[in-house]
Amino acid sequence: MTSPETMAVNLDGQHDSAGPVRGTQSLLHIGMIWLAANLVVTTLLTGTLFTPAVSFGTASAMIVVGTLIGVIVLVLIGNMGTRTGLPTMALTRGSFGIRGSILPAAANLIILMGWSWVQAMLAGVTVNYLVHEATGFSNPMLFSALCQAIVVVLAIFGHTGISRVEPWLALAILIVMGFVFTAAFSAFSPGEFAALPVDASLGGTPFITLDMVIATAISWTVLSADMNRHAKSSTAGIVGSGIGYTLSTTIAMFLGLVAFSAVLLRGDEATPFDPSVIVAEFGWPLGIAIFLSVMATNTMVVFGMVTSVVNAQSKWHLRFLPTAIVLGIISIIGSTFLGLLNQFTDFLFIISAFFVPVFAIMIADYYLLKRRGYSRQILHERPESRYWYRGGVNWVAVIVWVIGAVLSYVLAYVAPSPIGANIPAFIVSFGLYLGLMLGIGRRAGLGLIDPRDSQPTGHLLDGADETAALRLGN
């Protein structure tokens, strides 16, 4: 069996995606990575889904409020990565158990795969529009597959380089966004945007809009610890990701809202969540910015998929390259299923239904039950581990997860909640997990009091560093 020291340092053969890592990136660098990551076409086009279902002013307000609510969850999960050195799905071992963590990791793989498909499709549709305008040739399925193929190559060989150039890509994309904002507000006044009539037949409400914005943050939270574990301190991770994500999301969504509203005000036919609509309005520079944003962001999504699988269980001895190739081929094939774009809203709600309860459980477990610390026993895949629970699974977490996911679905589709689905699902999952672990869990030996909790907690490489130093001294 792989030792915890081997898992921590060398899980997949000297590749930096496996086991804990010690962060070195500054607040500015983390902020720029998060700024670039969400200046992406999916976030931009989410903004096109709001009007005319709700007013321009309501949509603008919900973008800000939803982003501020969602970023709280994102930075709390990200900080767990900074403090331990583990990626997001590996951290679920603390609350779901060593074996139980495979469940959210599998859900995460499916969600990230779908996310990579959607972004590749949107890049392909954008490239197809530009090529068709220039040459008359059109094959969106082909261009979607080609875009995803480029992403897979970058994820395998160039993810480090992408992380370095992302700040520059962010600057270029911001310049193009500035051009779009200038063109839109030069053509129409703020008053004209505010007076855009609401189409009540679309059934939009402020809380549906709020839920979609929060769901966007939840969809990024699955990668928050993956990114923030590279921060050199909690301050760098929390402040950098908080500011970077908040700015990028509000700017990108507001751009989509403004661009789509401008098309509506011009009286042109407008289909939401179609990049060609706004590219036709604002020109090829926006199309190029969309393509570059997908290349940068989708590279990190595919890399995150591989990282999650490699880190799921060390006994599988999965290596990075073959895992990346297999997942990459699947992602290229799936990117040709363009019909998924018509289900994007449902896709967002599925993400939030799956992961709002997961993150509520993780936050309750780490910050309250485990008092902001996981020991190196989280790396031990044997019954002696503090995080083995019952047969490797914390069934309390699994049951609460199912309850929270079902509740989220019911509140979104069966009996719509007047305050949306995400906030109630988070509160119920958080409170239920905490209550059960303090009650039933304590009596079953799963709760707060455990002699193994006296082991030092903190960054999971601290013990490995000390062991290595002793070996060198000898």
Side-chain angles (χ1 to χ4, degrees):
M1 180 176 288
T2 304
S3 69
E5 288 79 11
T6 304
M7 178 184 173
V9 181
N10 191 27
L11 183 61
D12 69 346
Q14 301 293 347
H15 199 284
D16 64 2
S17 69
V21 299
R22 192 176 297 281
T24 59
Q25 294 175 349
S26 67
L27 185 156
L28 179 61
H29 195 87
I30 292 293
M32 290 302 292
I33 287 175
W34 276 101
L35 180 67
N38 216 25
L39 290 175
V40 69
V41 61
T42 43
T43 308
L44 187 156
L45 291 179
T46 299
T48 69
L49 298 170
F50 301 151
T51 55
V54 298
S55 70
F56 184 87
T58 296
S60 300
M62 292 302 101
I63 288 173
V64 174
V65 174
T67 300
L68 292 176
I69 292 173
V71 79
I72 295 173
V73 177
L74 185 144
V75 299
L76 287 174
I77 298 295
N79 187 49
M80 292 168 62
T82 306
R83 291 172 61 88
T84 63
L86 288 178
T88 309
M89 290 302 110
L91 284 165
T92 60
R93 293 170 170 224
S95 51
F96 283 80
I98 300 297
R99 290 178 175 172
S101 66
I102 295 176
L103 296 173
N108 180 53
L109 174 62
I110 295 170
I111 293 299
L112 287 180
M113 184 65 75
W115 201 248
S116 73
W117 291 346
V118 168
Q119 294 196 131
M121 292 170 196
L122 293 173
V125 169
T126 302
V127 172
N128 182 75
Y129 173 81
L130 295 175
V131 172
H132 181 261
E133 287 293 300
T135 67
F137 176 77
S138 176
N139 193 329
M141 291 175 60
L142 172 63
F143 288 118
S144 296
L146 288 175
C147 287
Q148 186 64 7
I150 295 172
V151 164
V152 171
V153 172
L154 290 173
I156 294 174
F157 299 107
H159 67 277
T160 302
I162 284 291
S163 68
R164 290 174 179 169
V165 302
E166 267 196 315
W168 299 105
L169 289 176
L171 180 60
I173 294 167
L174 282 172
I175 291 173
V176 174
M177 287 183 168
F179 161 75
V180 173
F181 277 126
T182 301
F185 283 109
S186 296
F188 303 100
S189 68
E192 289 176 291
F193 281 100
L196 192 68
V198 174
D199 185 350
S201 66
L202 296 176
T205 68
F207 281 105
I208 290 176
T209 305
L210 180 68
D211 256 7
M212 292 178 67
V213 179
I214 294 175
T216 300
I218 297 302
S219 72
W220 276 106
T221 303
V222 299
L223 292 175
S224 61
D226 300 52
M227 295 186 184
N228 280 19
R229 66 181 180 146
H230 296 284
K232 67 179 181 180
S233 68
S234 289
T235 299
I238 291 172
V239 178
S241 62
I243 293 177
Y245 176 82
T246 300
L247 287 177
S248 62
T249 301
T250 51
I251 291 171
M253 278 194 187
F254 189 62
L255 177 70
L257 175 65
V258 168
F260 192 72
S261 298
V263 175
L264 293 176
L265 286 170
R266 203 175 293 279
D268 296 335
E269 184 177 346
T271 303
F273 213 76
D274 183 350
S276 62
V277 171
I278 57 176
V279 171
E281 178 71 20
F282 296 100
W284 62 265
L286 180 58
I288 293 176
I290 288 173
F291 173 78
L292 291 176
S293 72
V294 171
M295 292 301 101
T297 304
N298 228 17
T299 296
M300 305 310 290
V301 170
V302 173
F303 183 72
M305 280 194 292
V306 181
T307 301
S308 294
V309 173
V310 168
N311 275 283
Q313 293 284 299
S314 65
K315 65 181 179 181
W316 293 345
H317 301 292
L318 297 178
R319 298 179 66 84
F320 180 85
L321 184 58
T323 304
I325 291 174
V326 171
L327 292 177
I329 291 173
I330 296 172
S331 73
I332 293 171
I333 295 172
S335 67
T336 62
F337 303 151
L338 298 181
L340 181 60
L341 293 180
N342 297 324
Q343 307 299 323
F344 180 74
T345 300
D346 291 331
F347 178 63
L348 266 183
F349 281 123
I350 289 172
I351 294 175
S352 59
F354 267 121
F355 282 103
V356 163
V358 170
F359 297 140
I361 291 167
M362 291 175 68
I363 291 170
D365 188 81
Y366 181 81
Y367 289 98
L368 297 180
L369 292 178
K370 303 301 192 306
R371 301 178 184 180
R372 295 183 299 161
Y374 287 148
S375 72
R376 284 178 59 80
Q377 287 196 23
I378 201 171
L379 306 179
H380 293 233
E381 294 173 6
R382 49 180 181 264
E384 292 77 19
S385 171
R386 165 69 173 99
Y387 309 96
W388 190 255
Y389 297 100
R390 289 289 182 267
V393 180
N394 182 2
W395 292 104
V396 172
V398 174
I399 292 170
V400 172
W401 181 24
V402 172
I403 293 173
V406 170
L407 176 65
S408 183
Y409 176 83
V410 169
L411 294 179
Y413 292 103
V414 180
S417 164
I419 60 171
N422 288 318
I423 295 174
F426 184 93
I427 293 172
V428 169
S429 300
F430 184 93
L432 187 59
Y433 177 76
L434 199 59
L436 289 175
M437 287 295 287
L438 290 172
I440 298 173
R442 176 176 291 179
R443 289 194 293 273
L446 303 178
L448 283 172
I449 306 205
D450 190 293
R452 292 167 292 186
D453 286 338
S454 61
Q455 292 193 4
T457 59
H459 198 286
L460 299 180
L461 282 182
D462 290 344
D465 291 345
E466 293 170 5
T467 301
L470 288 173
R471 287 175 179 169
L472 288 174
N474 292 333

